[in-house]
Amino acid sequence: MALRIVGGQVRLRDGRALAFREYGADLGLPIIFTHGNLNSRLFEPVWDLTQEMTANTGVRIVAVDRPGYGDSTFHEGRTYTSWAHDVRELVDALELPRFAVLGFSSGGPHALACAAHKTTLFANRLLCCGLIASDGPYWLLGPDLYKYMFAIPQSTAMTKSLAIPRCTQAEQRLRESYTCMAKEERRTLALRDLDHAIKNGLDGPAQDALLESSDWALPLHRLACPVWMWHGQSDDTVPPEAAWGLLDLLHRSSAPPTPCPAPNPDSSPTPSPASNPGPGFACSPSPDPSLSACRGGAQPPIHLELLEGESHSLIRRHWGAILHRMVLLSETARL
């Protein structure tokens, strides 16, 4: 049964408002979706097909405005860990007994924060974590990639005064590209999302840049749910080196990897062989193709699915398959 698209706000214990929008299947798997930088809860992954495709996969999306975006109150001291606590209050308010988390781009580390704090905040309620074109641990990946992402040397600390102009330029570029869209419906949806994201200024997006450029300070050794990553091999917004670096960090934070069974081609996009993790950056640690594997033993699996020829907007073309994979991971986690 399709869910009527609804929106609302949760009043957090500290008085802040956390705004959300629900769409998809009424009784489907609840997934807390965290948007990218300069997006909002109004982001439509597959444009005007978002509601129909989400409902058809049996998923109920809860898309949330991060603090400082849209209708969610700015949080001066926001960290990835504080976001996980916000999500705990949200799922309690929505009375979700089981749910998953899914993050796109800048939303990736926020979703991962929930997985890292599963044992202390969510226990068996959190089933799995998905990361789509996620930002990576840039502070570990060398000065070249850091400068590519933030346009400053790694030796220069990112500050709000540096982040605001960067976000202003990014917003202008996005607005120009959206305005040039040939399809009016998509142009309208994209501009609506952007306008909502920055309705209260750029403090929220700038705060994301500050978090991404520094140590995430997450207890990744406590990961206790499956993590599935999707990344485009031709992504020039968040280069694939970021995905390899994140995969390496997750593996090094816990048990050594063991070979992972290949995904079922009937249930998800076929991953491209990735003997070469990327063309451009000298990363530290160096990406290791053998790490496209699951952790063995009692550890939950971590998998990177590299999509050949795909860009940062892969979410537009793989939304249905991504949700289907999330459902499969959640069903397995319930066993």
Side-chain angles (χ1 to χ4, degrees), residues 200 240 291:
N200 293 309
L291 291 181

Side-chain angles (χ1 to χ4, degrees), residues 228-253:
W228 200 280
M229 303 163 61
W230 296 265
H231 214 98
Q233 284 188 324
S234 300
D235 190 336
D236 60 5
T237 301
V238 178
E241 286 84 356
W244 284 107
L246 178 53
L247 182 70
D248 180 78
L249 174 62
L250 295 180
H251 279 291
R252 287 188 294 110
S253 297

Side-chain angles (χ1 to χ4, degrees), residues 258-272:
T258 57
C260 178
N264 181 349
D266 296 327
S267 61
S268 79
T270 302
S272 168

Side-chain angles (χ1 to χ4, degrees), residues 53-89:
M53 186 176 295
T54 305
N56 287 343
T57 58
V59 166
R60 169 190 172 191
I61 288 289
V62 181
V64 192
D65 283 341
R66 277 198 298 283
Y69 286 83
D71 294 321
S72 289
T73 310
F74 180 71
H75 183 194
E76 184 67 43
R78 173 160 65 101
T79 64
Y80 290 126
T81 291
S82 74
W83 169 254
H85 283 270
D86 288 352
V87 172
R88 168 60 191 268
E89 292 194 50

Side-chain angles (χ1 to χ4, degrees), residues 158-236:
M158 177 64 73
T159 63
K160 184 176 179 180
S161 62
L162 291 173
I164 289 289
R166 176 178 175 271
C167 291
T168 300
Q169 293 172 2
E171 186 271 331
Q172 291 170 349
R173 289 194 300 269
L174 271 181
R175 188 171 297 278
E176 290 172 3
S177 67
Y178 292 164
T179 302
C180 294
M181 284 181 169
K183 296 184 178 180
E184 182 179 355
E185 298 112 350
R186 293 186 178 184
R187 183 169 65 248
T188 299
L189 291 174
L191 289 171
R192 182 186 68 162
D193 175 40
L194 179 58
D195 288 340
H196 182 73
I198 63 170
K199 64 182 293 186
N200 293 309
L202 292 169
D203 284 351
Q207 198 172 48
D208 278 344
L210 293 173
L211 292 174
E212 290 159 15
S213 62
S214 59
D215 189 329
W216 295 351
L218 290 174
L220 296 176
H221 62 285
R222 295 181 184 172
L223 277 178
C225 68
V227 177
W228 200 280
M229 303 163 61
W230 296 265
H231 214 98
Q233 284 188 324
S234 300
D235 190 336
D236 60 5

Side-chain angles (χ1 to χ4, degrees), residues 81 112-121 218-225 250 253-254 295 299-300:
T81 291
L112 188 62
C114 296
H117 288 284
K118 173 182 173 174
T119 55
T120 55
L121 291 178
L218 290 174
L220 296 176
H221 62 285
R222 295 181 184 172
L223 277 178
C225 68
L250 295 180
S253 297
S254 52
R295 295 183 299 182
Q299 298 291 338

Side-chain angles (χ1 to χ4, degrees), residues 133-166:
S134 175
D135 280 287
Y138 300 117
W139 78 98
L140 293 175
L141 300 184
D144 293 342
L145 183 55
Y146 190 95
K147 188 170 184 179
Y148 179 87
M149 293 303 302
F150 302 108
I152 57 174
Q154 191 167 1
S155 58
T156 303
M158 177 64 73
T159 63
K160 184 176 179 180
S161 62
L162 291 173
I164 289 289
R166 176 178 175 271

